[in-house]
Amino acid sequence: MEKLNEDETNSRVIAFEAYDVLSDPFWRAMYDQFGVHSIKLGVFVDKKKDIRRYLYHGDIFSTYKSVYGSTNPYAHIISMLSNGKATINVGIKLDVKKIPINLTLNETFYGVSKKINIPESDGRTQCITNLKISKGLPVNSEIVHNLTDGRTVIFITNDLPHKHFVRSGKDLISTYTVTIEEMLYGVQFIVHTLDNKQLRVNITQVITPSYQKIIRGEGMPAYGENCEKRGDIILQFKIQIPHDLSVIRKMICKTPSEIEEFRN
């Protein structure tokens, strides 16, 4: 068989990718509303502002199998000659099991290979498969994976809660609680990053409810080819207000020397 050149291969991948999008009801709706560029960057899927990004797995044989029921390009022709009709699932994907997989921020930060136990098709034995998690893999990513028994499954990723951070795209958001004194006169603290750095933060300005402190380039790695590029750490603040007004007055009415002593 004549080998396809690079342009022909790319054209086939684009065609199969288009089928993969248009045959999925969710991604078809998102494509119709936002277009192909937007669904690859990410679209909001609910009021919680969860983002889902479309990522084609690149396996044209898996997509071919979802159309014709086989990776053999001649199988449906033989079936047609034998039975008098073709068995082509046009526009209908085979039933593919979707499996949620929970990942820690450290796993998506560094990338990891996870061993996952999946029940075999007979429902009794276990199939152990290795799943590669790339650096910076976005939340709600769909990973198409072929098992050794011939089945295809889709893993849907989800972030496990982290002690300090919540992920928003490439950025990591952390919320700190400050007192009235710290809000007015400043605060110092240490931020522990996912790659085990200790960053000293010194805030000397008044902290308002909308104030954010941004630490550039210390967030999650970008997914894909630019994995060395990183997002930011965004520090947000929650002000702890005492119920006793006399305590508030005492905190606010400080002399310059008391303020200097507090900052030191």
Side-chain angles (χ1 to χ4, degrees):
M1 182 180 291
E2 184 179 353
K3 187 176 180 180
L4 296 174
N5 60 39
E6 185 176 352
D7 290 339
E8 290 172 327
T9 301
N10 291 338
S11 297
R12 286 200 175 189
V13 171
I14 292 171
F16 279 103
E17 180 182 31
Y19 173 83
D20 193 61
V21 170
L22 299 178
S23 61
D24 185 293
F26 173 80
W27 288 119
R28 173 63 181 264
M30 293 298 100
Y31 168 78
D32 289 342
Q33 186 173 357
F34 301 108
V36 65
H37 185 65
S38 294
I39 67 175
K40 289 184 177 181
L41 288 176
V43 293
F44 293 111
V45 296
D46 56 31
K47 293 181 180 179
K48 294 182 181 179
K49 294 186 178 180
D50 288 336
I51 296 179
R52 287 185 63 182
R53 294 174 175 84
Y54 173 77
L55 176 67
Y56 184 54
H57 49 78
D59 186 351
I60 63 175
F61 291 104
S62 177
T63 307
Y64 187 94
K65 183 178 179 180
S66 72
V67 182
Y68 296 105
S70 170
T71 56
N72 184 345
Y74 302 107
H76 69 284
I77 299 177
I78 296 172
S79 175
M80 180 180 64
L81 295 175
S82 302
N83 304 322
K85 61 179 181 179
T87 55
I88 302 175
N89 302 315
V90 177
I92 303 175
K93 286 190 172 183
L94 297 180
D95 186 22
V96 177
K97 186 175 183 179
K98 294 190 176 183
I99 302 174
I101 175 172
N102 295 321
L103 303 171
T104 66
L105 284 183
N106 292 81
E107 287 175 330
T108 51
F109 182 88
Y110 289 106
V112 69
S113 180
K114 291 179 71 72
K115 285 188 176 182
I116 302 175
N117 292 332
I118 303 171
E120 292 276 11
S121 53
D122 59 15
R124 296 189 299 273
T125 57
Q126 294 285 323
C127 171
I128 300 177
T129 186
N130 288 315
L131 183 66
K132 181 182 178 182
I133 304 299
S134 301
K135 281 185 178 182
L137 185 70
V139 66
N140 287 326
S141 292
E142 296 188 354
I143 306 172
V144 178
H145 192 75
N146 295 317
L147 302 178
T148 55
D149 61 1
R151 290 179 297 156
T152 299
V153 296
I154 297 177
F155 293 102
I156 302 177
T157 66
N158 181 54
D159 284 349
L160 286 171
H162 188 269
K163 185 177 180 180
H164 300 296
F165 297 115
V166 174
R167 179 157 59 143
S168 176
K170 298 193 299 293
D171 298 331
L172 294 172
I173 300 174
S174 186
T175 301
Y176 284 79
T177 300
V178 294
T179 65
I180 292 284
E181 290 174 300
E182 292 170 333
M183 177 194 79
L184 293 173
Y185 309 125
V187 62
Q188 294 181 359
F189 53 87
I190 301 294
V191 174
H192 298 269
T193 66
L194 291 180
D195 52 350
N196 299 318
K197 295 178 185 175
Q198 295 185 23
L199 306 178
R200 181 176 296 276
V201 176
N202 183 21
I203 298 176
T204 57
Q205 67 184 78
V206 174
I207 299 174
T208 64
S210 60
Y211 173 74
Q212 292 182 334
K213 175 72 174 180
I214 299 177
I215 305 175
R216 302 290 182 187
E218 295 293 344
M220 295 294 291
Y223 175 68
E225 296 180 358
N226 297 321
C227 61
E228 298 304 318
K229 186 177 180 181
R230 290 173 59 178
D232 304 324
I233 289 178
I234 301 175
L235 305 179
Q236 299 178 341
F237 298 90
K238 180 181 179 182
I239 302 171
Q240 190 177 49
I241 301 177
H243 296 291
D244 192 337
L245 289 177
S246 62
V247 175
I248 298 177
R249 291 194 196 98
K250 185 178 179 181
M251 289 180 174
I252 293 176
C253 300
K254 286 184 179 290
T255 64
S257 60
E258 289 175 328
I259 294 173
E260 188 64 27
E261 182 181 353
F262 174 80
R263 286 177 173 173
N264 295 329

